[in-house]
Amino acid sequence: MSFRSGVRAVLRPGRVTEAAAPRPDVALVQARPGAAQRGSVQVRHVDAGSCNGCEMEVVSAFGPVYDAERFGARLVASPRHADVLLVTGPVTKNMARPLVTTYDAMPEPRLVVALGDCARDCGVFRGAYGVEGAVSDVLPVAVHVPGCPPSPDVIVDALRSLTGR
Amino acid sequence: MTELAHFGGATLVVAVQLVVVVAGGLLLLGVMRKTRSRLEGRVGPPVRQPLLDVVKLMSKQRVRPSSASQVFVAGPVVLVATALFVAGTGPLVTSDPPLSKSTDFFAVVFILLLGSVALALAALDTGTPFAGMGASRAMTIGALTEPALLVAVLALSVPAHTSNLPALVREGLSDPQVIASPGRILALCAFVVVIIAETGRLPVDNPSTHLELTMIHEAMVLEYSGPDLALVTVGESTRLALLLGLLVNLFVPWGIASGRGAVELAFGSAALAAKVGAAAIAIATFEVFTAKLRLFRLPELLAGAFVLGLLGVVTALVVR
Amino acid sequence: MNGSVLVVELALGVVAAAAGGLCPEGMRLRLAAGLTIAACAVAAAAAAVVLGTGHGVAVHSAGILPLTGASLDLAPPSSVFVATTAVVAIAACVYWPGYARHDLSSRTVSAVIPAFVTSMLVVVEAGDAVTFLVAWELMAASSLVLVLAEQQRREQTRSAAQWYAVMTSAGAGAIVLAMVLVCAHVGTVSFDAIAAVAARPGDAGRLPGGTRDVVLVLALLGFGSKAGMVPVHVWLPKAHPEAPSPASALMSGAMVNLGIYGLVLVADRLVGGAPSWWWTAVVAFGAVSALYGALQASAASDLKRLLAYSTTDNMGLVLVAVGLSGLLATAHEQAVAILALVAALLLVVNHAAFKGCLFLSVGSIQVATGTRDLDSLGGLARRMPVTALLFGVGALSVAAVPPLNGFVGEWLLFESLLHALEASGAVVGVVVTVAVAALALTGGLSATAFVKAIGIGLLGRPRSTGAATAHEVSRSMQIGAGLLAVACVVLGMAPMLVVPSLERAAASLVGGGRPQVLSGGVDIAVAGMEGVLAPLWIAVGLALLGAGTVAARSVVRQRRPASRAADAWACGRELQTARMQYTATSFAEPLERVFDDVLRPDHDLAVSHTAESRYFVDRVVYHSAVADVVERVLYRPAIEAVRWWGSRARMLQNGSVHRYLSYALVALLVVLVVLA
């Protein structure tokens, strides 16, 4: 692609983000010390055994159309930088310890968000041989986001309930 | 009485510069992220978001590796202290900052080197492989940017017969022809490349990558949390702000205050904010259209900057 | 104060050597060390007085050496080197008793170390060629003995000593030849007399051009080899690591300076000024040495080898400054020449301080952990905090980090380059530009090398049991290294304590009036340049801001959950061992790759498969080494050629008596024919 066509490709679409919905009910989150409620939440995502459907929705949630970043949420690489652990998929046997290690590495105050039906109650994988349990069997979960997969606007709403914006 | 007034004036300048550069640095990060987001077609976080992030980090827990020594905790402190020193005494808001007689450009380069060395040592202290990798890459790139930076400084210093930084800025103010001289322009090109490399922007390093094997600066700070991470963020953003501030004041000095009065400082701050903001938007726009260079292509880029700087020195000598 | 102070100093040194050689085991070490310290204290005091007043002292004795007698002479330029040598020797002798408890208490070493120190002092104080050469040979011989001192522990010591012996003899031969040529022309061996003849205006009595060029080239090779100049440096990375640490500190901190001293002595005093092509050669060789030394240091994983190459690097910078000063002097830019020479002398003084400190701390590390291989160290900052701090101060000084002394030296060098660029014509301009490029490159490379040394050697987790079981070393070893570390800090924050003396020494060497080039009390100001350097303000400012940052960090401590210590984040892995950390080899790998044309590393990868199947790997052995390229490209072929000729010549010796008799007959006939 030539430079000019590249520039045009970037500039032509303009803003594609959907308009923000009215702020969701902040009572979704149980009362707890409000570090994250200052409008800034760093999210560390861990795939505990998902089929990647939820991951694609998360990517879309942080993409140009749904743009979760405008509400103060940001994905980070290290759990030491994170306030929120976003877990997708049921907790498989091989990922149980790494998941707990990741949660332990996070500085307090910290929260866990279980994304998708699999994270909430193992979804279609309930009783499978490799599955240890749901996320709440392994970690204390603050927010469940239902759906298989949950659509990006539901994910954005969940994040907004954490940032308070 | 004049001594007290003098001291008061100096303190005011330092305070103003520190506030402008530190707060401005965080806002600068916000502006750059906002520019990138808009060009990507989305709204993006608000400009004040990095400020909110830092404030939040101050009330998070500090976790440190059990095998680390005092160097791990001292690293961010030294990084911030060196950045603040240059921010407070450099010709940013005014061309007559305190200690202006002793603000030497070479000294500034080596003080910033102290900050980088401290961060690299703190990374090696964590005892993790990724931090070691980050330190190794950062020091390699630093070793290759030092020559370009030093020859660029020399290219600026030769026509002015001094390496004193406020004097270089004042020379540009008083004699605009100096700014358009070929030696200075070549030095400008070398500086731009060096600043991009030192502050870890594309195409040298992607500041928002999550893949550890592609990280250079980020890998060194994976282990920090809470106030330490806040210090690292503030240190990095202050470095970016002051490097861009020095760049614009050396090559576009108009607008900088020339005294220490309060009104002058206000105008100087506004001018600095405008110029640095424009530079930041330019860099962010450039980043949108650039991919990250492969690590082993970087020496070519930095060698190119070095040659440009060297040509600047030769040109400054010949065109006298 | 008169010349008898030099006699006292010499006498103390001789008595120290005798005590070390003759006294019984219990007291020999302390006596030798103590008397050497006394001799060095006398020397340092005398040097300080000479530098302060500007008047030299001299003494001559017709009896000590046959034919010509011996004369000692302490003038401002040589006082700088005497003071430097004396301070490093004092620190090394304070360090030595603690170190010797672990191995070195033999009679030979106790006698030789004082002899080594004394001979170094006499080399600098020598007033005539014979004293100089005798002391030079004594210095070489005693350092050779010291290199061999620990040969029982390591097998490469013998090979290192062989290289050292051959190269130092060759260098000494060149120096002897140069001195002989000069003295034969003038007719006397006294340096003062030769200098007087050489300083005469016009060409009366000067060396003829051809002889002068030969003398200068010989001096460059001989003294350059001692200073670690590429390409005659190859003995340095072999010999300095093998010597015991107090001796390494003396060799790297004091002996290499004598190479610089000799060069300046020959070029400025004996020959009365060298032509600009020679000074350009000095700058060129200096720049190459600096670059090459810095590169090899950043690739080295043996701590002492890293330090040895760093010595080559620093001495290269000194040669650049010295050469620049000479070039400017021949172009009649006296003020800038003095500035450059002051930069050179300050670099020498700084190098002695930080390299001595580094070698002594590395000795402590070696004693405590049993190894000096960076790939096996780590975690020493927690186990040996004092030694780690001293090593850190030394290493950060080499990396030219403010507010330590290396930074001030580099700054002064840059300022002299800046002034040289403005000052003169085309030739100087080109040379200076190249020097600037080389200097700029070496700064970053040496910073990388020393971040590697500190980060891998002292920080992180221990990579071997030796490092994991290290304990802090004895008090005398800490104090010895600490003395030099304190010097690094003091010289960094208050360089004007020594700079005026250095300027006096430089002015007397360059000659031509005494414009005051450097001034200032707390800060350093260069004449004719706006702005100063204020290292003390930088230190104070950084300290205040650091304290402020720490206070700011604790600002909302009550609202924060309590801090905790945890295992480092291992990306979810079950296991993160100390072996997974970066090693010195991996740290240097990107730089090695970038400069692989220069370094030519050897990589060897051997993969062996299991007996059952070619698809399963049994072992992987990776071997990586960076050899000295100059040695491989220049010396090995020469050595091979000599060996080849030697094996050919062996055919002459076939054991037959008849053939040997016929050789004798032919030789006799040839001699008779020639004589006839």
Side-chain angles (χ1 to χ4, degrees), chain C residues 323-395:
Chain C
L324 186 66
S325 162
L327 256 183
L328 290 164
T330 55
H332 302 294
E333 298 275 350
Q334 306 299 109
V336 193
I338 292 180
L339 181 60
L341 198 53
V342 171
L345 291 174
L346 187 60
L347 284 171
V348 165
V349 170
N350 287 344
H351 176 253
F354 53 61
K355 201 44 71 65
C357 173
L358 281 170
F359 265 109
L360 293 180
S361 345
V362 168
S364 306
I365 291 175
Q366 192 172 359
V367 154
T369 63
T371 176
R372 54 178 209 246
D373 180 14
L374 272 174
D375 290 346
S376 312
L377 293 174
L380 296 178
R382 295 186 70 162
R383 300 203 61 92
M384 309 170 61
V386 176
T387 305
L389 176 66
L390 297 175
F391 184 87
V393 167

Side-chain angles (χ1 to χ4, degrees), chain C residues 299-302 305 373 375 583-589 592-593 599-606 621-627 632:
Chain C
S301 63
D302 174 332
R305 198 177 144 95
D373 180 14
D375 290 346
T583 59
T585 316
S586 39
F587 192 94
E589 199 261 349
E592 233 180 76
R593 257 211 242 190
L599 290 172
R600 315 258 186 97
D602 293 319
H603 295 304
D604 188 63
L605 184 64
V621 177
Y622 174 73
H623 184 79
S624 154
V626 178
R632 196 189 290 175

